[in-house]
């Protein structure tokens, strides 16, 4: 008797019952599932419960069930240059073999839980690896001014700060005094 740990009603759990264990049998699915929580890196991620559009092909092979698919989902975050909010979409491809038994599988391979498989870890890995580490609102985003923090896109090309090298700051005062002496 085997104890099943996957809940067949969970959104990311898929039944392979109709494939049987007949190599060559196949079926396709196109579900829209809610995004799992905590699917983000740094400044961008998939909003919890956002619609994830999937196109999946399940194929029975000798060792298990081969899952091949594409997932499309929205992203939200902030620009790493100017910190403005941003939204976009990402599309990722994934492929994973779920083994029938632990004897055929290596340590890190995924196993079927009876006739059920959990697609969430495969989807999570594919999305997290594809997320940009430094998302930008546009490739030409100039970011923020390092001196005052104003958005450089709003400030314009003439935005400048006078910087005086601290080693020469005392000499700056002498130049002003000397100019005053020449005027009088």
């Amino acid at each position: 008797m085997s104890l099943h740990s996957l809940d067949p009603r969970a959104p990311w759990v898929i039944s392979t019952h109709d494939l049987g264990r007949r190599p060559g049998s196949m079926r396709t699915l196109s579900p829209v599932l809610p995004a799992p929580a905590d699917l983000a890196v740094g400044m961008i991620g998939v909003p919890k419960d956002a619609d994830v559009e999937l196109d999946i092909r399940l194929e029975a092979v000798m060792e298990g069930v081969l899952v091949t698919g594409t997932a499309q989902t929205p992203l939200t975050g902030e620009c790493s240059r100017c910190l403005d909010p941003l939204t976009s979409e990402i599309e990722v491809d994934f492929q994973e073999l779920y083994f029938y038994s632990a004897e055929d599988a290596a340590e890190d391979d995924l196993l079927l839980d009876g006739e059920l498989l959990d697609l969430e870890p495969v989807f999570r890995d594919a999305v997290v690896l594809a997320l940009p580490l430094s998302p930008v609102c546009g490739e030409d985003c100039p970011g923020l001014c390092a001196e005052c923090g104003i958005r450089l896109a709003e400030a314009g090309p003439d935005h400048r700060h006078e910087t005086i090298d601290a080693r020469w700051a005392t000499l700056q005062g002498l130049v002003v005094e000397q100019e005053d002496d020449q005027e009088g």
Side-chain angles (χ1 to χ4, degrees):
M1 183 175 99
S2 66
L3 297 172
H4 296 294
S5 59
L6 293 179
D7 178 0
R9 296 174 307 244
W12 288 88
V13 173
I14 297 173
S15 172
T16 63
H17 175 77
D18 55 341
L19 293 176
R21 287 197 174 196
R22 299 180 309 275
S25 58
M26 181 186 82
R27 80 169 205 219
T28 58
L29 301 167
S30 294
V32 176
L33 300 177
D38 302 322
L39 192 52
V41 293
M43 304 179 85
I44 195 159
V46 178
K48 183 182 182 311
D49 295 329
D51 286 346
V52 178
E53 297 174 21
L54 295 161
D55 283 317
I56 307 167
R57 185 176 75 214
L58 305 171
E59 289 179 83
V61 295
M62 292 298 288
E63 303 86 4
V65 175
L66 180 65
V67 180
T68 307
T70 301
Q72 188 170 6
T73 187
L75 297 176
T76 60
E78 57 186 28
C79 176
S80 61
R81 293 182 189 162
C82 69
L83 304 179
D84 275 359
L86 65 87
T87 58
S88 65
E89 282 194 342
I90 192 169
E91 184 173 304
V92 294
D93 296 323
F94 53 88
Q95 184 172 48
E96 190 69 42
L97 178 60
Y98 289 80
F99 287 86
Y100 290 129
S101 72
E103 290 124 31
D104 296 334
E107 187 179 334
D108 292 338
D109 289 336
L110 297 174
L111 294 173
L112 285 167
D113 185 356
E115 296 178 331
L116 302 176
L117 61 85
D118 186 2
L119 194 58
E120 183 183 329
V122 174
F123 167 72
R124 182 178 292 279
D125 288 350
V127 169
V128 168
L129 289 173
L131 289 174
L133 295 177
S134 298
V136 291
C137 58
E139 289 302 317
D140 58 343
C141 177
L144 302 174
C145 174
E147 294 288 321
C148 66
I150 192 170
R151 288 188 63 231
L152 292 173
E154 293 171 358
D158 297 332
H159 182 77
R160 304 225 188 305
H161 295 275
E162 187 173 326
T163 56
I164 301 170
D165 188 331
R167 297 170 294 180
W168 300 101
T170 4
L171 295 177
Q172 185 73 16
L174 293 176
V175 172
V176 172
E177 290 172 18
Q178 192 175 27
E179 286 176 2
D180 290 343
D181 290 344
Q182 289 177 356
E183 287 175 16

